[in-house]
């Protein structure tokens, strides 16, 4: 089972909660995603989400809360095929973050040369996320709405 950690960065606005997402700059066919990735050997999912968000967005965020764990037998389109366990975390940073920015990810070799374009969408009823990330978003939204 491959362990994954995904960071759902939220901010409050008058219209409701917004979710930080990215797309691959210059690749309009790439779907919207939240930052996250594979938990490394010996790494806790909480440490992995902080690392992945920092590598993929440039943000150093604290205060992550575990909100959902999902298991998938297979994730179509994933670079890591096979069964996966997704650890989903939320954080609402105190700092005012820009409405949009671009970041060159610092993670794995497969990300070299990429540029991620970040922006915010509505957590509930926003544009759809890539593949199984939409399932994770619904789980996160369900928890966030109860808080």
């Amino acid at each position: 089972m491959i362990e994954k950690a995904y960071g759902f960065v939220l901010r409050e606005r008058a219209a409701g909660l917004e979710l930080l997402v990215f797309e691959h700059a210059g690749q309009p066919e790439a779907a919207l995603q939240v930052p996250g990735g594979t938990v490394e050997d010996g790494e806790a999912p909480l440490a992995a989400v902080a690392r992945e968000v920092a590598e993929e967005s440039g943000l150093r965020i604290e205060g992550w809360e575990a909100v959902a764990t999902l298991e998938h037998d297979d994730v179509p389109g994933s670079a890591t095929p096979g069964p996966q366990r997704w650890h989903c975390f939320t954080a609402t940073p105190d700092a005012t973050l820009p409405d949009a920015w671009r970041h060159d990810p610092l993670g794995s070799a497969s990300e070299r040369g990429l540029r991620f374009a970040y922006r915010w969408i509505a957590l509930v009823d926003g544009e759809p996320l890539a593949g199984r990330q939409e399932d994770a978003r619904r789980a996160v939204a369900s928890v966030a709405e109860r808080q």
Side-chain angles (χ1 to χ4, degrees), residues 45-131:
L46 180 61
V49 75
R51 175 184 54 77
E52 286 285 349
V53 169
E55 289 174 356
E56 293 186 357
S57 71
L59 300 175
R60 304 238 180 262
I61 296 176
E62 297 179 6
W64 291 104
E65 293 184 32
V67 295
T69 301
L70 306 172
E71 292 191 5
H72 304 290
D73 291 332
D74 190 33
V75 180
S78 175
T80 49
Q84 297 182 11
R85 179 177 297 122
W86 289 15
H87 303 275
C88 302
F89 296 86
T90 61
T92 306
D94 292 333
T96 301
L97 297 175
D99 289 332
W101 73 92
R102 292 176 185 257
H103 181 76
D104 298 333
L106 307 171
S108 68
S110 66
E111 293 176 331
R112 288 196 184 101
L114 295 178
R115 174 163 283 180
F116 294 161
Y118 278 87
R119 62 188 173 94
W120 300 88
I121 64 170
L123 175 61
V124 177
D125 297 328
E127 298 166 64
L129 299 180

Side-chain angles (χ1 to χ4, degrees), residues 1-4 37-45 47-48 51-52:
M1 176 84 56
I2 297 168
E3 303 286 329
K4 299 279 191 170
T38 303
V39 177
E40 295 176 356
D41 288 340
E43 184 179 39
R51 175 184 54 77
E52 286 285 349

